[in-house]
Amino acid sequence: MKKKIFITLLIVSVCINIYFLGKWLLIDQWYVANEEDETILGEMVVKAINSNDYRDISESEQIISIKTSVDRNKGGVFPYHYDISVLTDKQTHIFSCEDDRCTKVEKYGEMYSNYRDERSILPLGK
């Protein structure tokens, strides 16, 4: 009886460890920001907000939120795997570093915005 319980606990423990190791190998190390990444992304947000592209966007569209992301899976080295997404009522604008030292952050793309055809997630003044 004790042997069956021990084997069952051992199998459950191995399965749980395989799950967490697989999650770390496949997702966390590639897409989840660590403490250093959060600091870098925070500094990039400030540079994005101070850029001329951001001022142009804020004059013509209602800015709803700013989201940061890390994607080490797309290749490249620092800082090209960091992105700042500025979500507006019309579309999402994507900012990234202009050079390898990240002296300036510039807008390099746009994409669909959730807020164009859907109502806001939070009651934003309506």
Side-chain angles (χ1 to χ4, degrees), residues 33-126:
N34 58 30
E35 194 172 321
E36 181 183 354
D37 293 333
E38 291 291 337
T39 303
I40 292 168
L41 288 166
E43 291 174 7
M44 285 177 65
V45 167
V46 171
K47 289 181 180 186
I49 290 173
N50 292 330
S51 72
N52 292 331
D53 292 331
Y54 183 86
R55 272 188 231 112
D56 294 342
I57 292 167
S58 65
E59 290 172 359
S60 62
E61 301 175 31
Q62 177 190 3
I63 295 175
I64 297 171
S65 67
I66 297 176
K67 185 171 75 169
T68 59
S69 64
V70 176
D71 186 358
R72 290 182 188 89
N73 199 26
K74 68 181 181 182
V77 293
F78 171 82
Y80 299 110
H81 48 259
Y82 298 115
D83 290 326
I84 309 296
S85 300
V86 178
L87 287 77
T88 67
D89 57 342
K90 296 180 182 172
Q91 58 194 348
T92 299
H93 303 273
I94 304 168
F95 289 78
S96 188
C97 289
E98 184 179 77
D99 55 10
D100 61 346
R101 297 187 51 107
C102 203
T103 55
K104 282 180 68 177
V105 174
E106 69 177 354
K107 180 179 141 185
Y108 76 91
E110 299 170 345
M111 65 184 198
Y112 167 80
S113 178
N114 291 340
Y115 299 103
R116 177 181 286 172
D117 297 324
E118 301 171 9
R119 55 182 194 89
S120 297
I121 296 170
L122 293 173
L124 300 171
K126 288 187 180 183

Side-chain angles (χ1 to χ4, degrees), residues 1-14:
M1 183 68 176
K2 288 183 180 181
K3 195 173 189 178
K4 286 183 180 181
I5 292 173
F6 176 74
I7 290 173
T8 304
L9 287 174
L10 181 65
I11 291 171
V12 168
S13 174
V14 167

